[in-house]
Amino acid sequence: MTDTPTSAAPTDIRGPRLHGVYEALRAAVLSGEIRPGEGISETRVAARYGVSRTPVREAFRRLADEGFLRIVPQVGTFVAPIQLGAVSDSQFIRETLECRTVRLAAERAEAADVAALTRLLDSHRAVMAPDRHAEFFALDEATHAELARIAGRPAVWDLLVAVKAQLDRVRFLSLHSEGWAAKIVGEHQSIVDRVAARDPDGAEEAMRAHLRTVFAAVDEIARTNSHFFET
Amino acid sequence: MTDTPTSAAPTDIRGPRLHGVYEALRAAVLSGEIRPGEGISETRVAARYGVSRTPVREAFRRLADEGFLRIVPQVGTFVAPIQLGAVSDSQFIRETLECRTVRLAAERAEAADVAALTRLLDSHRAVMAPDRHAEFFALDEATHAELARIAGRPAVWDLLVAVKAQLDRVRFLSLHSEGWAAKIVGEHQSIVDRVAARDPDGAEEAMRAHLRTVFAAVDEIARTNSHFFET
DNA sequence: TCGCGTCAACTTGCATACTAGTATGCCATC
DNA sequence: GATGGCATACTAGTATGCAAGTTGACGCGA
């Protein structure tokens, strides 16, 4: 009680109830199952998941901090509208940080790192079918995470995961067209090629082009779903 | 912008009990009043502030999410050690984002913006006395926030406020030497000069030099207080 | 003296009861 | 019929009691 907290236990091994409710709600908001503006209530959610209000409250608070919910005291809790300003800021922050980390990755990559990236690309190509969308998404993320790891800055990707949240809400509004997967994988290939060639300038440029592709898609989806948004 | 220099939470108009406990604990941890490794308990804190465990719990959870506390179920809650890795990552993220925003600021600054920066510098010079440390600190933050605003990316500073948290804990471990304030203001002056001259390259270089000064001080404090840290 | 088992005193996680404030719909009144 | 006021049914904020788990000290036995 008085001295060091024994060991470096991860911060987040709380009870399974809280975790379950949090994950379920986060997925529901992210996937659009619960739509922006819709009201939810601690009592109803607690009843639905068969738990008490306490873990639900903590999940609500956390989701509110992440920008997914908006808690209005004595009134209710609502799914936050997607804020276009936040989307733009997310894009700016992501581009700034990932262009820098991919430069570092290109400078520091060793043979094993390039091999790992190549493996990820192969796996990515294997799940390009439309019915494996979730796997494709996960491998997309994994590739970016691996680049951050190679750069020696894995925490940067951890931060980006949080920052990207509003971006991902937009993504889920619409699945992408037929050639989308191939385009993404092709751009990833370009990035990996430049990293493998120890070419920081080229790697940064490839990353920037890749992100601009992603951002353009986000903007297009935003335009066609403006009712979910808030300036 | 006249709001508290900390806490970038968007919509957070919760009850005063939670807010009060949260602010008090955050200040206590940041200032080192409660030291890393020290154990606190919901019950004791609740009794001390005359509230029930519920608002204390929520404050604890929030502080744990920010990296200030470490909650170990069924064991206790402890002030998290300052993680050197997190400090390094904070520095990397801060340098990357602020160098980019200051470039933008230099490209976009108008006369009124330069005037605002100059006013901040004047105020800053007025509080260089050692007994006005808190005001000096606040104006330091305000200057960086203003640069982000001029760049059109105020949200970037909001993010940095959260990211910087671990850095600020280090800062509070030790007040700085006599010439410190003058050095900081001088470096701010250089940045503002380059922004006023619409010189993005010069502004970025001045910002980089400034941050390196700050980071070197952090590293030095870290070395002389290693018992509070964790690799 | 050292080792081990037991237990008491703590901790947080969860459930539930109560408080206070707000939105809403019904009803009486004009 | 339109309108204003009030009762009611919600909401989140808070307090508190109970459960499950860990820690560490104490005492017993070898």
Side-chain angles (χ1 to χ4, degrees):
Chain A
M1 163 170 65
T2 51
D3 251 28
T4 58
T6 63
S7 69
T11 315
D12 233 295
I13 324 170
R14 307 260 231 328
R17 289 180 184 77
L18 164 60
H19 196 260
V21 172
Y22 168 78
E23 290 293 343
L25 284 175
R26 191 178 198 274
V29 172
L30 215 85
S31 70
E33 182 189 332
I34 319 178
R35 309 206 317 200
E38 198 167 335
I40 56 183
S41 101
E42 295 178 359
T43 310
R44 282 204 305 274
V45 172
R48 176 169 170 182
Y49 289 94
V51 299
S52 80
R53 277 182 57 209
T54 307
V56 173
R57 268 185 69 78
E58 306 206 352
F60 272 32
R61 190 197 62 71
R62 189 167 190 163
L63 291 164
D65 285 343
E66 296 182 74
F68 289 124
L69 299 182
R70 187 165 291 179
I71 300 174
V72 185
Q74 322 304 345
V75 174
T77 298
F78 309 89
V79 177
I82 306 173
Q83 302 192 18
L84 279 182
V87 170
S88 169
D89 288 326
S90 293
Q91 293 176 339
F92 175 85
I93 291 165
R94 185 173 180 188
E95 182 181 316
T96 302
L97 289 174
E98 286 213 81
C99 286
R100 174 94 185 270
T101 53
V102 82
R103 285 191 71 92
L104 285 175
E107 291 166 5
R108 303 168 52 135
E110 299 178 4
D113 299 324
V114 175
L117 288 170
T118 304
R119 274 196 301 278
L120 279 168
L121 275 173
D122 290 340
S123 305
H124 216 172
R125 284 201 185 82
V127 296
M128 282 171 56
D131 61 332
R132 305 184 73 174
H133 190 267
E135 292 163 273
F136 188 87
F137 184 78
L139 279 165
D140 188 347
E141 304 256 306
T143 303
H144 287 268
E146 178 66 11
L147 284 169
R149 191 196 61 74
I150 293 171
R153 294 293 173 187
V156 171
W157 180 252
D158 293 339
L159 174 69
L160 284 178
V161 166
V163 170
K164 276 183 344 91
Q166 299 294 325
L167 269 175
D168 291 337
R169 290 182 74 190
V170 178
R171 272 206 218 181
F172 270 93
L173 280 179
S174 161
L175 301 188
H176 302 105
S177 55
E178 196 58 38
W180 179 258
K183 185 170 188 182
I184 293 297
V185 173
E187 291 178 352
H188 278 191
Q189 180 73 64
S190 300
I191 296 169
V192 172
D193 286 346
R194 291 299 90 206
V195 169
R198 314 288 195 279
D199 173 10
D201 290 332
E204 176 173 351
E205 210 39 58
M207 175 63 82
R208 197 178 304 276
H210 172 51
L211 292 175
R212 292 269 156 89
T213 297
V214 175
F215 296 165
V218 167
D219 290 339
E220 204 265 323
I221 296 169
R223 267 195 303 278
T224 58
N225 293 271
S226 56
H227 47 103
F228 289 145
F229 290 82
E230 183 180 71
T231 58
Chain B
M1 67 179 64
T2 54
D3 215 327
T4 54
T6 56
S7 172
T11 46
D12 215 281
I13 326 159
R14 317 277 253 291
R17 287 180 185 77
L18 165 59
H19 196 259
V21 173
Y22 168 78
E23 290 292 343
L25 284 175
R26 192 177 197 276
V29 171
L30 232 132
S31 70
E33 182 189 333
I34 319 179
R35 308 204 319 199
E38 199 166 337
I40 57 184
S41 99
E42 296 176 358
T43 310
R44 283 206 302 272
V45 172
R48 176 170 171 182
Y49 289 95
V51 300
S52 79
R53 278 181 55 212
T54 308
V56 174
R57 268 184 71 77
E58 303 210 356
F60 273 31
R61 292 237 25 192
R62 189 173 197 148
L63 291 164
D65 285 343
E66 297 182 72
F68 289 125
L69 298 183
R70 186 167 291 179
I71 300 174
V72 184
Q74 283 29 350
V75 175
T77 298
F78 309 89
V79 177
I82 307 173
Q83 301 193 20
L84 279 183
V87 169
S88 169
D89 287 326
S90 293
Q91 293 176 340
F92 175 84
I93 292 166
R94 185 173 179 189
E95 180 182 318
T96 302
L97 289 174
E98 286 214 81
C99 286
R100 174 94 185 269
T101 53
V102 82
R103 285 191 71 91
L104 286 175
E107 291 166 5
R108 303 168 54 137
E110 299 178 4
D113 299 323
V114 175
L117 288 169
T118 304
R119 273 196 302 277
L120 279 168
L121 274 173
D122 291 339
S123 306
H124 216 175
R125 283 202 186 82
V127 297
M128 281 171 57
D131 62 330
R132 305 184 73 173
H133 191 265
E135 292 163 273
F136 188 87
F137 184 77
L139 279 166
D140 188 348
E141 304 257 305
T143 303
H144 287 268
E146 179 65 12
L147 284 168
R149 190 196 61 76
I150 294 170
R153 294 293 173 187
V156 171
W157 181 251
D158 292 339
L159 174 69
L160 284 178
V161 167
V163 170
K164 273 182 348 87
Q166 298 295 325
L167 270 174
D168 291 336
R169 289 182 73 191
V170 178
R171 274 205 217 183
F172 271 92
L173 279 179
S174 161
L175 302 188
H176 301 105
S177 54
E178 196 58 37
W180 179 258
K183 185 170 188 183
I184 293 296
V185 173
E187 291 177 352
H188 278 191
Q189 180 73 63
S190 300
I191 296 169
V192 172
D193 285 345
R194 291 300 90 205
V195 169
R198 313 292 195 276
D199 172 11
D201 290 331
E204 176 172 351
E205 210 40 57
M207 175 63 81
R208 198 177 304 275
H210 173 50
L211 293 176
R212 293 269 155 91
T213 296
V214 176
F215 296 165
V218 167
D219 290 339
E220 204 266 324
I221 295 169
R223 266 194 304 279
T224 57
N225 294 270
S226 56
H227 47 103
F228 288 145
F229 291 81
E230 183 181 72
T231 58

